[in-house]
Amino acid sequence: MLRRIVKIDEEKCNGCGLCAAACHEGAIHMVEGKARLMRDDYCDGLGDCLPACPTGAISFEMREALPYDEAAVQAAMAAKKQSAAPVGCPGMQQKTRVPVEAAEGGAVESQLSQWPVQIKLVSPMAPFLRDCDLLVAADCTAYAYGDFHREFIKGRITLIGCPKLDEGDYTERLTEVLSHNTIRSIVVTRMQVPCCGGLERAVRQAVKNSGKAISLEVVTISAEGKILSREA
């Protein structure tokens, strides 16, 4: 039958495995480091895998394909749940962490509450994004400001990036994050350098694109580790 179905561009695929993790039906598998649609009859054509892809390798096409077999999918999902086998790179699996206040001897521990943290690796559908306070940080800020974990990461979901080094713009991914989730507030931490303006602009545009009234604060940090300004 002719129907809408997922199409994967293997040349664009970077092998991260996020689409396979997002495909609840199990239609996508990782084969020789690339995502591949293995079962037409497992693909419902709704595209949960699309926003998970950081490289834009996934799209839709209309073509001849087997009809969606919901009964087979349900059976496969039940079997997968029992085996609980990880899909893709383990280091990129979406997961939550429990921050530790202090280690033995009083050393301050990480306040990070989820993984991954890189903007392009976090799926907009990740459960930890629901009803959260968000930190969008230029990655240098955590190194420049000594009390970064306690003051900025604690109690927030953290997304990091570098607009100078990363390819492309963050606006589209951040718009998806804000549009698909209830974000209570956003704090942006950036360095006092021109390239960090790209991160701030992406967040402001994403808020505008989402059509939501979200509290936003931009914190600028100097290379000497001083907070220079806090602006709405």
Side-chain angles (χ1 to χ4, degrees), residues 158-229:
T158 301
L159 304 182
I160 69 168
C162 177
K164 187 174 181 66
L165 298 180
D166 288 343
E167 293 184 4
D169 186 4
Y170 297 125
T171 303
E172 184 176 352
R173 174 53 59 93
L174 290 171
T175 298
E176 292 174 348
V177 167
L178 303 186
S179 298
H180 286 98
N181 299 281
T182 302
I183 305 297
R184 295 190 295 259
S185 68
I186 305 172
V187 172
V188 177
T189 57
R190 55 163 293 180
M191 298 297 293
Q192 188 193 21
V193 291
C195 56
C196 270
L199 183 65
E200 179 181 344
R201 286 191 295 273
V203 174
R204 291 189 183 278
Q205 187 60 49
V207 172
K208 184 178 180 180
N209 292 348
S210 74
K212 299 180 179 180
I214 305 174
S215 170
L216 173 63
E217 181 183 31
V218 178
V219 181
T220 301
I221 298 171
S222 71
E224 293 73 32
K226 305 292 185 182
I227 292 179
L228 299 177
S229 64

